[in-house]
Amino acid sequence: MLQPRVCLRQAQRLRPLFPHTSLRHYAEAQAINHTPPPPITATTSPPEVNPYESTIRPEDTPEPPFQLRSYKPRTPGIRHLRRPVNDHLHKGRAYLPLTFPRKGQHIGGRNNSGQIRVRHRGNGAKRRIRIIDFHRNAPGKHTVERIEYDPGRSAHIALVHNNATGEKSYIVAAQGMRAGEQVESFRAGIPQLLLDALGESTDAGMIAAKTAWRGNCLPLHMIPTGTLVHNVGLKRGGKAQLCRSAGTFAMVLGTQQQQQQGEAEREKEGVVVAAAAAGGGEGRGGEGEQKRGKKDLYVQVRLKSGEVRRIHRDACATVGTASNSNYNRRQLGKAGRSRWLGIRPTVRGLAMNASDHPHGGGRGKSKGNVHPVSIWGQLTKGGYKTRSKRNVNRFVVQERPRDRKSITKMKKKEKKEKMKKNKNKN
């Protein structure tokens, strides 16, 4: 292709200044080396390293200080806006193959015939529902890629990928979890590599030291007593159902046999048994291992409400506390932000007409000298009982406190137990 005449003239003028430059460049032929490459020698592959021998336990990050981000009041809606500081969250979009759009008339609280069944719902910004893996049956190491915000729940979620297969999934992030950490599920059993790393030792404490880490999913009988867990299941082989919202956790109390053994050890340490002093039997600890009964099939777990519940020993639980613990301290700042979340206004019954609510109508502020009731006429302040005494949940060992007196009693008991522990240590 010919070059323009103007460009040739400009190049001829600049040639005395740059003598080494040429007007046109052509490909130059180079000599080809025909010598054959050196033969490939067989090299010995490096020995396989057991990943459980060099694993480093992730540091238990302390509870983050209570910090809320406020903004300069450029508008009235930003003046009272308060948000928890979460700078570690992913700034981009979600992983689309693990999401699907949230559509349908159920968003407005309506059933299949279009009638409102749940009030105060509707509109809101578009969302995509994230598919969360609450079963966590896949064994092997998983690497945390990033921590994300989920509009469908209060806790944060973590995108993890299987190191062996590369398959990605979403899990509920534990408090303090960050990108780059390794998590694993032991629901399918203890891997052989871990048993090889432990050697001949099969002590439960040694196994827990390698498995009961933050973010790992284990059966309840493999978790030491006193450990805080979340995403707790209720059935053997079932998915996680309890303690899934932000900042929630449960405490593993152990089986009934373990608690009885602990009480017996405390009695031996504190009080001298007369039978032992007289040369009697060996006591409770002298009998051999008993067969596992029905009581040992269940592990007692204390929920955050104060309820103590029996759960099957093979049900799943994740070590740690659910993330975003400061979620309940946020302030939306304006009513429009609540509408973006799909929450419609709540109107008081006193401000309605008599045909719309039992408290409506009348002249001025009056509800007709009746007890506070709902829009359907049911008593709202503890007068309408829904829990029957005959249908008792046999898995509940201790019910949650339902009044202030029982709450104060529970707090006093906890204080006394702490005082006793401190005295025994001293």
Side-chain angles (χ1 to χ4, degrees):
M1 178 178 175
L2 297 177
Q3 295 182 354
R5 192 179 299 272
V6 179
C7 296
L8 290 172
R9 290 178 179 176
Q10 289 179 357
Q12 289 175 359
R13 292 175 184 174
L14 296 175
R15 183 139 189 200
L17 299 177
F18 304 98
H20 298 287
T21 59
S22 60
L23 296 179
R24 298 182 182 182
H25 299 276
Y26 298 92
E28 297 178 357
Q30 295 180 357
I32 301 174
N33 188 7
H34 294 282
T35 57
I40 301 174
T41 58
T43 57
T44 58
S45 59
E48 295 183 358
V49 180
N50 193 336
Y52 295 97
E53 292 180 354
S54 61
T55 50
I56 301 174
R57 185 187 182 102
E59 297 180 357
D60 295 332
T61 54
E63 190 76 15
F66 174 56
Q67 292 181 352
L68 290 178
R69 180 166 289 161
S70 59
Y71 301 86
K72 190 173 183 179
R74 292 188 175 91
T75 60
I78 296 180
R79 181 179 296 276
H80 300 288
L81 179 62
R82 301 289 184 273
R83 286 174 174 171
V85 178
N86 293 317
D87 295 332
H88 62 282
L89 295 181
H90 178 59
K91 304 297 189 297
R93 297 188 66 184
Y95 184 64
L96 291 181
L98 294 177
T99 62
F100 62 92
R102 180 173 176 262
K103 294 182 179 180
Q105 59 187 11
H106 67 279
I107 297 175
R110 289 161 173 79
N111 59 1
N112 56 356
S113 61
Q115 297 176 344
I116 295 177
R117 286 293 174 259
V118 182
R119 301 189 300 160
H120 314 140
R121 288 190 183 182
N123 301 329
K126 288 184 179 180
R127 296 183 187 177
R128 294 188 69 87
I129 296 178
R130 277 70 168 171
I131 302 173
I132 310 296
D133 183 14
F134 287 113
H135 290 275
R136 296 190 67 177
N137 291 324
K141 295 278 186 180
H142 290 67
T143 304
V144 179
E145 290 190 6
R146 62 199 186 201
I147 310 296
E148 297 183 8
Y149 163 78
D150 187 2
R153 66 191 70 254
S154 56
H156 297 151
I157 59 177
L159 180 65
V160 299
H161 72 270
N162 195 331
N163 295 350
T165 62
E167 185 179 358
K168 296 185 179 182
S169 60
Y170 275 123
I171 62 172
V172 177
Q175 183 70 29
M177 182 182 289
R178 295 294 182 268
E181 292 187 7
Q182 301 278 341
V183 295
E184 190 172 357
S185 175
F186 296 95
R187 296 194 70 178
I190 303 174
Q192 186 63 34
L193 291 175
L194 177 57
L195 296 177
D196 296 341
L198 294 174
E200 299 179 356
S201 174
T202 57
D203 184 27
M206 295 290 293
I207 296 175
K210 291 282 188 179
T211 58
W213 296 0
R214 178 184 60 209
N216 287 357
C217 183
L218 299 92
L220 278 173
H221 70 272
M222 290 180 59
I223 302 176
T225 58
T227 307
L228 299 182
V229 295
H230 67 283
N231 278 7
V232 183
L234 290 176
K235 298 179 181 178
R236 179 181 182 180
K239 67 176 184 179
Q241 295 178 262
L242 303 177
C243 302
R244 305 197 315 193
S245 59
T248 55
F249 59 87
M251 181 181 288
V252 179
L253 303 179
T255 60
Q256 190 170 356
Q257 182 180 3
Q258 291 175 351
Q259 293 181 2
Q260 290 177 357
Q261 290 178 356
E263 292 177 359
E265 290 176 359
R266 290 176 201 142
E267 290 178 359
K268 287 181 181 179
E269 291 177 359
V271 182
V272 178
V273 183
E282 297 179 359
R284 295 182 186 177
E287 303 174 0
E289 292 185 359
Q290 299 178 357
K291 293 183 179 180
R292 185 180 299 162
K294 290 185 178 180
K295 295 181 180 179
D296 298 332
L297 286 176
Y298 299 97
V299 177
Q300 294 186 6
V301 177
R302 178 184 290 141
L303 305 179
K304 197 171 183 182
S305 62
E307 177 180 304
V308 179
R309 177 184 283 265
R310 290 191 306 153
I311 303 176
H312 198 277
R313 66 193 306 271
D314 292 331
C316 64
T318 305
V319 180
T321 308
S323 56
N324 199 13
S325 58
N326 293 328
Y327 171 80
N328 60 338
R329 296 173 177 174
R330 66 190 178 117
Q331 295 180 13
L332 297 180
K334 63 178 182 179
R337 208 175 300 276
S338 183
R339 297 300 300 267
W340 298 344
L341 298 175
I343 304 172
R344 299 187 71 240
T346 302
V347 181
R348 295 171 296 121
L350 197 67
M352 297 183 186
N353 296 327
S355 59
D356 298 328
H357 199 278
H359 296 172
R363 296 184 178 181
K365 264 189 175 181
S366 64
K367 57 185 178 181
N369 196 19
V370 295
H371 290 288
V373 293
S374 65
I375 192 173
W376 303 281
Q378 295 177 355
L379 295 173
T380 57
K381 293 193 173 179
Y384 186 76
K385 305 296 183 182
T386 59
R387 194 179 299 273
S388 62
K389 295 183 179 179
R390 296 180 180 178
N391 187 15
V392 179
N393 191 351
R394 61 189 181 91
F395 292 103
V396 177
V397 179
Q398 179 182 350
E399 291 187 354
R400 63 180 176 87
R402 300 182 183 275
D403 54 354
R404 293 182 179 178
K405 291 183 180 179
S406 55
I407 292 173
T408 53
K409 285 183 180 178
M410 186 179 68
K411 289 183 178 179
K412 287 181 180 179
K413 284 184 179 179
E414 291 178 355
K415 286 184 179 179
K416 288 182 180 179
E417 289 178 358
K418 288 182 180 179
M419 294 287 289
K420 287 182 179 179
K421 289 181 179 179
N422 294 332
K423 288 182 180 179
N424 293 332
K425 287 180 181 180
N426 296 330

